[in-house]
């Protein structure tokens, strides 16, 4: 008998955890947005524990797939994300984290990860 993988134990509210639609790695996409301007800053991944830490500490916490560990945005760079609100989309497969971004959001040192210009539309 095959069973679905269970997320690791977490302090996340079971009612919230039940709403999440995780990928095969147990992760949910998280989009960080500047709370007052609507500017989209970055996208990262959260598991149940990262979401729990984000909700309870007020600091955006993500799961680093490359390092295999949690990272609190700004702990090493000083570019902190102070969480203002957190919402799930209608499918439960994307988290919107509205933050007050201090400094650069992108690991390349820019304000947003989406500053490479628009792609051409074939219209």
């Amino acid at each position: 008998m095959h069973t679905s993988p269970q997320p690791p134990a977490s302090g996340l509210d079971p009612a919230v955890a039940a709403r999440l639609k995780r990928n095969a790695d147990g992760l949910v996409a998280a989009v960080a947005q500047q709370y007052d301007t609507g500017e989209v800053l970055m996208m990262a991944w959260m598991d149940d524990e990262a979401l729990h830490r984000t909700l309870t500490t007020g600091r955006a916490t993500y799961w680093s797939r490359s390092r295999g560990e949690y990272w609190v945005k700004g702990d090493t760079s000083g570019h902190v994300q102070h969480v203002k609100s957190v919402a799930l989309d209608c499918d439960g497969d994307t988290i919107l984290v509205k933050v007050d971004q201090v400094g650069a959001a992108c690991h390349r040192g820019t304000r947003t990860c989406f500053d490479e210009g628009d792609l051409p539309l074939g219209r």
Side-chain angles (χ1 to χ4, degrees):
M1 181 169 115
H2 183 267
T3 59
S4 297
Q6 295 298 312
S10 168
L12 185 62
D13 179 334
V16 174
R19 294 176 58 194
L20 296 177
K21 185 175 182 181
R22 301 162 194 82
N23 69 12
D25 296 321
L27 302 173
V28 177
V31 175
Q33 180 182 38
Q34 178 63 34
Y35 83 100
D36 53 354
T37 65
E39 180 181 28
V40 177
L41 301 170
M42 58 175 272
M43 180 272 176
W45 297 96
M46 288 186 177
D47 65 1
D48 290 35
E49 182 59 21
L51 179 55
H52 170 68
R53 293 179 188 189
T54 297
L55 292 169
T56 58
T57 66
R59 294 277 307 280
T61 304
Y62 303 101
W63 176 255
S64 171
R65 296 178 303 162
S66 60
R67 295 189 310 259
E69 63 186 18
Y70 295 103
W71 56 283
V72 179
K73 185 69 174 168
D75 269 2
T76 56
S77 67
H79 299 166
V80 177
Q81 290 179 345
H82 298 285
V83 177
K84 298 295 186 177
S85 67
V86 179
L88 293 178
D89 76 341
C90 60
D91 296 322
D93 62 0
T94 306
I95 300 166
L96 178 61
V97 185
K98 291 189 178 183
V99 302
D100 190 9
Q101 177 71 48
V102 175
C106 185
H107 69 282
R108 294 168 65 185
T110 57
R111 171 76 181 165
T112 172
C113 293
F114 297 95
D115 65 351
E116 295 293 314
D118 292 339
L119 298 176
L121 299 174
R123 294 187 231 167

